[in-house]
Amino acid sequence: AGLFGELRDFVSSGGKRLRPQFAWWGFRVAAGDPEAGTTLLPVAAAIELVHACALIHDDVMDASPLRRGRPTVHEVFKAAHLEAGWTGDAAHFGVSAAIMLGDLALVAADDLFTRARVEASRAAAAFAEFTRMRIEVVEGQFLDLVDGGRAVGVRLGDGTVVPVKIRSMVGLVPVTALTVIHDHQVGNRP
């Protein structure tokens, strides 16, 4: 199917699409105009593509064989490599192609976002928030990688300990992945 076909298949194959729905309905409510949502269509689609990028990369990082009951992208590309009878390592090809597909989703998200009909006076602030969101996604993925995917516990008010993956705690922890990277570069190893 190629990269674009696989991206289309991945995005359209299930999932709840809650992020773009929240953006869409939040914008319509805030604007107070039922037609205002058409302005946000490219932004909502961009949010979905950022999420697709994160899922594709997460599946590679976790070596997950399935997503939404279907083979993950890297497994699809691995199978295509094997079926075509190409030389080289099929698993490496699958992982490499999946990384490129996730990157393509991120590039397409940027393209869609910049095509949105946002008032010039608000465009820079809107893109800054979009950038902040993408950075937080990458920080969360990095924290998950640093943590090794191990569950940590959060103690609730009633004393119950609930296991959570570290990436779900982005924004709750005082240190960011960027601080970790900086400390690593200057020799302060965690």
Side-chain angles (χ1 to χ4, degrees), residues 11-154:
V11 171
S12 62
S13 67
K16 298 175 287 295
R17 294 177 186 75
L18 291 176
R19 289 156 192 82
Q21 287 184 57
F22 287 144
W24 168 269
W25 288 108
F27 184 79
R28 285 194 60 188
V29 167
D33 176 4
E35 298 303 315
T38 58
T39 302
L40 193 71
L41 280 174
V43 173
I47 290 168
E48 184 65 18
L49 286 173
V50 169
H51 184 60
C53 168
L55 293 177
I56 293 165
H57 286 172
D58 186 63
D59 288 342
V60 168
M61 291 169 60
D62 295 344
S64 300
L66 297 173
R67 161 82 50 195
R68 301 174 183 149
R70 296 182 57 217
T72 52
V73 169
H74 62 276
E75 292 293 332
V76 168
F77 281 115
K78 173 184 166 184
H81 182 282
L82 291 169
E83 185 178 312
W86 295 334
T87 60
D89 184 338
H92 179 73
F93 176 84
V95 165
S96 298
I99 291 168
M100 287 187 278
L101 186 67
D103 292 350
L104 177 63
L106 201 55
V107 169
D110 283 357
D111 183 55
L112 281 168
F113 192 95
T114 59
R115 290 175 188 242
R117 291 175 286 151
V118 178
E119 294 174 25
S121 63
R122 296 180 181 187
F127 196 74
E129 283 300 309
F130 187 65
T131 298
R132 183 188 59 77
M133 176 195 71
R134 290 174 297 145
I135 289 170
E136 287 180 0
V137 167
V138 174
E139 285 181 326
Q141 287 296 107
F142 182 74
L143 288 172
D144 190 28
L145 181 65
V146 168
D147 181 62
R150 293 183 309 264
V152 296
V154 173

